[in-house]
Amino acid sequence: MNAGILKRLLEEVREGRVGTEEALDRLKTLPFEELEFATVDTHRSLRQGFPEVIFGEGKTVAQIKAIIKSLLKHGENVLVTRADGKKGRELKKAFPRGEYRGAARTFFVKSHEVQKAGRGTVLVICAGTSDVPVAEEAAITAECMGNHVVRLYDVGVAGIHRLLHKKHELMTANVLIAVAGMEGALPSVVAGLVARPVIAVPTSIGYGANLGGVTTLLAMLNSCAAGISVVNIDNGFGAAYVASLINRK
Amino acid sequence: MNAGILKRLLEEVREGRVGTEEALDRLKTLPFEELEFATVDTHRSLRQGFPEVIFGEGKTVAQIKAIIKSLLKHGENVLVTRADGKKGRELKKAFPRGEYRGAARTFFVKSHEVQKAGRGTVLVICAGTSDVPVAEEAAITAECMGNHVVRLYDVGVAGIHRLLHKKHELMTANVLIAVAGMEGALPSVVAGLVARPVIAVPTSIGYGANLGGVTTLLAMLNSCAAGISVVNIDNGFGAAYVASLINRK
Amino acid sequence: MNAGILKRLLEEVREGRVGTEEALDRLKTLPFEELEFATVDTHRSLRQGFPEVIFGEGKTVAQIKAIIKSLLKHGENVLVTRADGKKGRELKKAFPRGEYRGAARTFFVKSHEVQKAGRGTVLVICAGTSDVPVAEEAAITAECMGNHVVRLYDVGVAGIHRLLHKKHELMTANVLIAVAGMEGALPSVVAGLVARPVIAVPTSIGYGANLGGVTTLLAMLNSCAAGISVVNIDNGFGAAYVASLINRK
Amino acid sequence: MNAGILKRLLEEVREGRVGTEEALDRLKTLPFEELEFATVDTHRSLRQGFPEVIFGEGKTVAQIKAIIKSLLKHGENVLVTRADGKKGRELKKAFPRGEYRGAARTFFVKSHEVQKAGRGTVLVICAGTSDVPVAEEAAITAECMGNHVVRLYDVGVAGIHRLLHKKHELMTANVLIAVAGMEGALPSVVAGLVARPVIAVPTSIGYGANLGGVTTLLAMLNSCAAGISVVNIDNGFGAAYVASLINRK
Amino acid sequence: MNAGILKRLLEEVREGRVGTEEALDRLKTLPFEELEFATVDTHRSLRQGFPEVIFGEGKTVAQIKAIIKSLLKHGENVLVTRADGKKGRELKKAFPRGEYRGAARTFFVKSHEVQKAGRGTVLVICAGTSDVPVAEEAAITAECMGNHVVRLYDVGVAGIHRLLHKKHELMTANVLIAVAGMEGALPSVVAGLVARPVIAVPTSIGYGANLGGVTTLLAMLNSCAAGISVVNIDNGFGAAYVASLINRK
Amino acid sequence: MNAGILKRLLEEVREGRVGTEEALDRLKTLPFEELEFATVDTHRSLRQGFPEVIFGEGKTVAQIKAIIKSLLKHGENVLVTRADGKKGRELKKAFPRGEYRGAARTFFVKSHEVQKAGRGTVLVICAGTSDVPVAEEAAITAECMGNHVVRLYDVGVAGIHRLLHKKHELMTANVLIAVAGMEGALPSVVAGLVARPVIAVPTSIGYGANLGGVTTLLAMLNSCAAGISVVNIDNGFGAAYVASLINRK
Amino acid sequence: MNAGILKRLLEEVREGRVGTEEALDRLKTLPFEELEFATVDTHRSLRQGFPEVIFGEGKTVAQIKAIIKSLLKHGENVLVTRADGKKGRELKKAFPRGEYRGAARTFFVKSHEVQKAGRGTVLVICAGTSDVPVAEEAAITAECMGNHVVRLYDVGVAGIHRLLHKKHELMTANVLIAVAGMEGALPSVVAGLVARPVIAVPTSIGYGANLGGVTTLLAMLNSCAAGISVVNIDNGFGAAYVASLINRK
Amino acid sequence: MNAGILKRLLEEVREGRVGTEEALDRLKTLPFEELEFATVDTHRSLRQGFPEVIFGEGKTVAQIKAIIKSLLKHGENVLVTRADGKKGRELKKAFPRGEYRGAARTFFVKSHEVQKAGRGTVLVICAGTSDVPVAEEAAITAECMGNHVVRLYDVGVAGIHRLLHKKHELMTANVLIAVAGMEGALPSVVAGLVARPVIAVPTSIGYGANLGGVTTLLAMLNSCAAGISVVNIDNGFGAAYVASLINRK
């Protein structure tokens, strides 16, 4: 749209109806939005294929519904994260073709099929059963973003053989998401075994000196293994988003 | 080397000099290292092309020299990080063909040429001039690991136009490393402009409420922009390592 | 009132009914309140035109009602902050001409019209929709204190173009209040664009490493941009009060 | 400078040497810097009269000298902060007409006289003698920025009468900067006495539970008095900058 | 009781039925309790006159009732602290002659009159109305322990004249308890005015950077005024206990 | 089982049906699980005699029931920890021969008698009545793991004689578990009296500066007495597990 | 001095040279200092007999000397705290009749004899030899303030019998100062043995999880024993000051 | 010595020179030390065979020498910990038969041979070469206390195969000490492999978010593996002491 404004101005200059000084002044005072459209468009197009994502926590069902409706109109796929059971049921009622996943607390409504587009597998590993909700948030998000996802759950470092048994899955993944609470040692061990980027997700699982996941977070940031980067506590979505960007062709 | 041991055992079995029961026992009691070579080898080969890296802080020059010598013998490229000026000068004297970079506090000795191997550009962005040492540690490391690196320095968010001017560099990078101290806002702004993974590196630049970089670190983990993952404070090396894994073909 | 006491004493001295020594003694032992009236009066008169403000959190509706009644008797305008929906409804019932704003959690009862008195515009900017309640507390408070207020919401730094589009509002404001949660980068970017004081309000919006807004607060205090000062987490009222003092003619 | 580029382009359009479509393309692909000059210029002009400021800590004397020289060439006044005694002496030797203030750790070189331009007095108050360096950094900075500055030192709250004695200075200031370490109570008492904005500066003076000034900072953010905003620990410069913006006509 | 055991042993020695060596052995192996009775008795007698105190939080009404009954049997006065409204009503029903104070959350049952025994007045000062429950816990506790208590409430430092008006009460107190939340500046100002010990009680009143009273606590510990010692957050009882010990003749 | 796979391979080699090179390849690609069986089995057998333990917090009754059933089928004893009253009652209904202990929040179902197997007594000491739930979790766990357990409750350091009276119990214990909240001084005093290992368990009992048990935890880690090691806040189970390992013959 | 001003004014009123209205105006505008002298004087006189105290840390020897000289002129006793060995030697040279105590880092110059004036003994107890400097600072300060001081050193809780041996000293003290680092348990044990106020002084002795004394401080604030109040880390002076106020007749 | 006093008293009783009542009184008023010798003796004898240990940090060489001399006189073995190179050399000069270990910063002087007395092996494992000093402090201490010690160094979890190779050492140890910095994952992995108690020692090795070892400490306390207890940061001595108590027959 902005191109139109600029073009008209340039035509007026060419036709001599607007002097160069005046044109210069008008260019200077054009709102920023008129000049920077390129950024916006490019940006959006690069993200093409990713669904729009709604952070469901702290929003009412009514608010979420309104946003979903608006996005569906534009033909977007829509992913809601952090939607508890009650919200999930109400969203399902409102958008029956949507899919609610209780374990992941996600609700996904498609306008079009998700195209599998990644370079390889996104492997989601988690340490304990209590970490599964965060791991599932990551796994579902990654799937909705077009990745082939493999899950490897309940392979905590206290029973290291369970993890080592899964050599094939570890070795063939293109990106790994390692979800763990408590001491958060899983990403260190995993990154020592593979040669691909590991995204560490600390969870708030733990008590006492766990400090709501802060201990886990800090421990992961101090990993003795190279190849790890970290996202916020319980941020399965964020890890999947990074993994999807990495995994894009 | 372990393959040799196993092969000899198998040949003895084939030749009947060792019974299957005895071979089984010997296999069971072989130290783990004999059995797991696959992991080790695979692992190493996948990493092929990366130099060996020595964390120079807290090691004496004598210790560093010894490790370098041993690695050069095996034909490895060797990168020393966190080598202050004094260490740098001594290392340069000992290994004259090595290259010391004062700004980055790195020393690099090549056994063979580094092969440029990445899918695209690794863009290292930093906010202030005080953040340059960490940015340079990242940039040099990424170069030593075979990436094409572009630097974009002194583009802090308080003068947002300086960053926005660099649209081309931002848009064409395959992986971005955003280095910042103080409030650590740079990665948020950058990740809002691009569609590739951003690795955020908090630095310990700041004072008072900066808490030695902890504030910066926590702020980055709370970024409102998707597509960001974070490494430890001042960990330029770690960011470059992750970036290199992402950028590998 | 205290002036009367002093005057009577001085008259007694003049008339010779009280000796100077005795008068001196009585002056010395007068309670502080008799001597310091000037402070109190001057102080109040300087603040003239600002409403009285009641912090509604932790007070019962009955308590709030009683304070409002008492203040209305003295002809004051009264602003209640942190009044949740239930409290708001009950206050509205008790004072029907009062105005309850749910988004801001404020209740305002006027004894007299608010006089617009500021030197210019107070611009309230906020990063995300979750920050709106705090931003609205600031905006409503500033309005009740006689300022012309402009709102600029949902202009987080992850979509920097949305903020840059609003050049006019940014450039013409006399004081700016920048409200943000998570990494709290908004004030840094804003202060880099304008040449007026920016009051930063961290919100408790975020999770995990956000630490209930402490991360946001510390990040804002470490801003790389000059011209920023900070108030307590979620303290929209406090920011508006400072802004009003700055904006007074 | 950028205006020239644009003007040339517009003239070429007017003269028919460049078509509108081509001009449009060139406008779109111009680096951001070409388009946003307005911001930059406006911004700078609004700040007119303020000196350029160099944060001296962590920079070598050579680096500082180079920056000063470059700025003096452009006719700027230059203020160096956080310059310890040794740096101060070397800077004085290099720029003999500059003025070094040991207590404030500032060095100021004028290209032109500072014009007194504020609406009123900036009052710098500090609690203890150990807080003087930070207070002086604030006072000198405010003076260099064209304000009339009054100092009120050693008026801690443990001897409240010393503060109360200075009623006149308190009542006539347009902006107040309250500098304190330890429990940081000074701004609360001051803000309760005046009706103008108070900028609180916590210092790192204290020990043990003071936590390097963090306790002071947090206490100030929790002030029971309205009208206070806070800057980072020991940030005398930042407070003066905000005060100067407030005090501008 | 233990005296009996010892006496019997000594008599056996005197009567020659037990040799000195054997007696020595038996003395050595006597359990500790037999030897240390003196401590226990002395200790108790020194505390004579203080009521027994039950910390009501986290105990059921049934548990509290049982302890009260047992203590009343021994003729003790009993003070229950941290008893919310519901507990208070049930205790009142069970012990009708007891007195429940809602503001202080205390329940007091007397077996005998409390003897006024202190050297002077215990002055309980508090900053804001939200601090009253903690102040009242202190005041009631001090009264139950035989002190003459004077209350001075709502004299926060932001309105310093209110505090200064109360010169007489401040100057005549023997011990002062200063209760405050938020920035906790009250004890500093008070200790600067008086020449008696001030016990500072931080409250958890505040939000955001108050960190549940930790900021207030740390600020109080950093007071620039001498003569202050501090107790735990909200610990009105503890302050009153210390004050009572100080005030004993 | 894995031994079978290896044996077959070796037989094939011996019989010449598989060449050594091929056998080598197959050995390299055998999943980890085939090679590491020994670890797993040995590990389990060493733990023999300990019950399986289910952490009940955050699991539904249905989940707990399912796990119990599965474990009972394998002839295991099963201990559930952190089962509140409601869960306890439901578990008791489902497994009537199980034993629920309200104070300890444990539920224990036996498949076979627990064999008393320790070298000596495990002494569980706790400071206050509020610490009893954690102490009981430790005591019951230790009993279920075959230890002879002695309890010593309500022996806080503020009444040191109560602890000193119990010389016999202290001196004869083989391992001691010291449970305390608040300042956590108990383990220091205990370790100064005995010559056996003391496991310190901080509890979350306390308020204000206790920080949910973190203060207690840190204090215990700083004990001036040798012979103490520490587990997580409220981790009675963990302490008992360590004590059981120590106490095993 | 101020009395003179007032008296003159009153005499002028009496003599009719100044009217009452004018006198009233002049009274109102007299600086605060003229009116509040009573406070100041009373205050000082109440403190009579205490030396003036100079906090030596962060002051140069020249600064300290100047303050001492000025105070000696007014006939005050002067106590310097936190004076390291070098400062001590220089002060001794400058004021040869002064006394430097290396262990306590104090320097004391008398203008007149210190009068023993307390109600009883101040007992200074410390846990370890590393805590002695802080304990000595407290002991010397208390002595300089006119108290009879008894020292009880190296009686940590890990060897509880050493403390219990000193029953007499414990039982006869009027105020107790308990100095300890590490887990800080000493005040709890002491307060459980005596019936007088205990002032707890945490020291920064410890490492790792001690956090520079913060752990010790927090632990002391959480003491399970009543009768304890706490001062800042290493604040031996502050404890002695409070103790002296308590111990005054 | 105390036995003498008691014996004389008993003899006087036997001989009729002292009545039982008087003897009783004298027993009651005997200082504690006279009565409690039993504890002390028993205590000491239980610890028999352990050397006396001097914490060298913060003590001068002169002080250490004096303590060593005194202990050698009593025939004790003496271990000095935290003795840096300079101290070590001076101690070696003073006590030539003592042994200084630079890596461990220990100095050991024997009065008599150390008797190997443990039930089994104490295995000291450490993650990185930087952790060796702490590991060596543990190893040397354990050896000086009579244990058979095995070292397993540089087996961090990022190269898990190095640890797994050492199955024999892991499986045969009676007590394990796991020393690690950074994320501190080693004890979790180790405790998952063995069935004996693991004492975790966090080190201060790391930077940034490591917070001087606090992150490592907290992570270890949150281990997902049972069988772990933790000591203070860098407390190799403390771990060895606990291990020695566990390993005693």
Side-chain angles (χ1 to χ4, degrees), chain A residues 100-231:
Chain A
Y100 180 70
R101 297 285 191 90
R105 293 171 302 164
T106 56
F107 183 73
F108 187 48
V109 204
K110 283 187 282 195
S111 290
H112 53 80
E113 277 309 300
V114 177
Q115 280 195 296
K116 284 286 175 281
R119 297 162 75 203
T121 298
V122 173
L123 181 66
V124 181
I125 315 173
C126 90
T129 51
S130 308
D131 302 318
V132 166
V134 176
E136 274 298 293
E137 183 184 297
I140 300 279
T141 300
E143 285 173 346
C144 295
M145 288 183 170
N147 301 282
H148 180 65
V149 174
V150 175
R151 288 157 172 86
L152 205 50
Y153 289 178
D154 200 17
V155 290
V157 299
I160 199 76
H161 55 281
R162 286 179 298 180
L163 180 63
L164 298 179
H165 290 178
K166 300 298 179 178
K167 193 175 140 186
H168 178 73
E169 286 83 347
L170 289 167
M171 291 305 165
T172 57
N174 186 40
V175 196
L176 300 97
I177 296 174
V179 180
M182 307 184 85
E183 85 277 59
L186 184 63
S188 295
V189 174
V190 167
L193 293 171
V194 302
R196 293 298 307 151
V198 176
I199 302 158
V201 190
T203 71
S204 53
I205 298 304
Y207 61 91
N210 184 269
L211 307 177
V214 171
T215 291
T216 316
L217 170 68
L218 295 176
M220 285 175 171
L221 285 160
N222 277 282
S223 176
C224 56
I228 297 174
S229 60
V230 185
V231 296

Side-chain angles (χ1 to χ4, degrees), chain A residues 14-35:
Chain A
R14 194 194 51 180
E15 295 160 8
R17 285 185 286 157
V18 169
T20 53
E21 288 297 334
E22 191 195 331
L24 195 59
D25 280 354
R26 278 161 67 180
L27 272 175
K28 277 184 190 170
T29 54
L30 271 177
F32 280 39
E33 66 197 300
E34 312 306 331
L35 301 174

Side-chain angles (χ1 to χ4, degrees), chain D residues 94-140:
Chain D
F95 306 94
R97 74 191 151 102
E99 186 173 15
Y100 180 69
R101 299 285 190 88
R105 293 172 303 165
T106 56
F107 183 71
F108 186 50
V109 205
K110 281 187 284 195
S111 291
H112 53 80
E113 277 311 297
V114 177
Q115 280 195 296
K116 285 284 174 287
R119 298 162 74 204
T121 300
V122 172
L123 181 66
V124 180
I125 315 173
C126 91
T129 51
S130 308
D131 302 319
V132 167
V134 176
E136 274 299 293
E137 181 182 299
I140 301 279

Side-chain angles (χ1 to χ4, degrees), chain G residues 129-209:
Chain G
T129 52
S130 309
D131 302 318
V132 166
V134 176
E136 273 299 292
E137 181 182 299
I140 301 279
T141 300
E143 284 172 348
C144 295
M145 288 184 172
N147 301 283
H148 180 66
V149 173
V150 175
R151 288 156 171 88
L152 204 52
Y153 290 177
D154 200 16
V155 290
V157 299
I160 199 75
H161 55 282
R162 287 180 297 182
L163 180 64
L164 298 179
H165 290 177
K166 299 300 179 179
K167 191 174 138 187
H168 179 73
E169 288 83 348
L170 289 167
M171 291 304 164
T172 58
N174 186 41
V175 195
L176 300 97
I177 296 175
V179 180
M182 306 186 85
E183 85 277 59
L186 184 63
S188 295
V189 174
V190 167
L193 293 171
V194 302
R196 293 299 306 153
V198 175
I199 303 159
V201 190
T203 72
S204 52
I205 298 306
Y207 61 91

